[in-house]
Amino acid sequence: MAKKKDFESSLKRLEEIANQMEKNETTLEKSLKLYKEGVEEATFCASFLKDMEQEVSILQKDSKELFKLTPFYDMEED
């Protein structure tokens, strides 16, 4: 059974990849593999953050002083 990815482990792996590549101690072939893996991890993280942003809601008072939930992304326009 494949282990389910989570944001924290993907971000940690992305940081490890960046550190390895910054050292310039790997072969070109290994660097290319690391780069491809890094792109996959970055894509996963970006997608995860987008999904989470859509789920976040903010509690606000409306004109009648009643509380309502407003999606986070609607707040950015204010």
Side-chain angles (χ1 to χ4, degrees), residues 2 4 10 13-14 18 20-21 24-25 27-28 31-32 35-36 39 57 61 63 65-66 71 78:
K4 184 178 177 185
S10 288
R13 179 62 185 143
L14 189 56
Q20 282 183 315
M21 292 184 74
N24 287 329
E25 295 176 355
T27 64
L28 182 58
S31 292
L32 183 58
Y35 176 80
K36 288 179 181 179
V39 168
S57 295
K61 284 186 180 180
S63 59
E65 294 295 312
L66 299 174
D78 291 343

Side-chain angles (χ1 to χ4, degrees), residues 3-12 41 44-45 48:
K3 183 180 176 185
K4 184 178 177 185
K5 273 190 167 187
D6 64 85
F7 178 77
E8 288 79 14
S9 62
S10 288
L11 185 59
K12 182 178 179 184
E41 297 294 351
F44 173 81
C45 288
F48 178 86

Side-chain angles (χ1 to χ4, degrees), residues 3-77:
K3 183 180 176 185
K4 184 178 177 185
K5 273 190 167 187
D6 64 85
F7 178 77
E8 288 79 14
S9 62
S10 288
L11 185 59
K12 182 178 179 184
R13 179 62 185 143
L14 189 56
E15 291 172 348
E16 291 169 354
I17 291 168
N19 288 335
Q20 282 183 315
M21 292 184 74
E22 286 175 351
K23 291 180 183 177
N24 287 329
E25 295 176 355
T26 61
T27 64
L28 182 58
E29 185 178 338
K30 176 70 175 172
S31 292
L32 183 58
K33 286 180 182 179
L34 288 170
Y35 176 80
K36 288 179 181 179
E37 184 183 353
V39 168
E40 289 175 8
E41 297 294 351
T43 300
F44 173 81
C45 288
S47 176
F48 178 86
L49 289 173
K50 183 179 178 191
D51 291 345
M52 291 299 104
E53 181 180 45
Q54 291 176 352
E55 291 185 25
V56 173
S57 295
I58 296 175
L59 193 60
Q60 281 190 314
K61 284 186 180 180
D62 63 14
S63 59
K64 297 176 186 172
E65 294 295 312
L66 299 174
F67 285 100
K68 66 176 184 170
L69 287 176
T70 304
F72 176 77
Y73 47 86
D74 287 348
M75 294 295 298
E76 294 175 345
E77 296 171 0

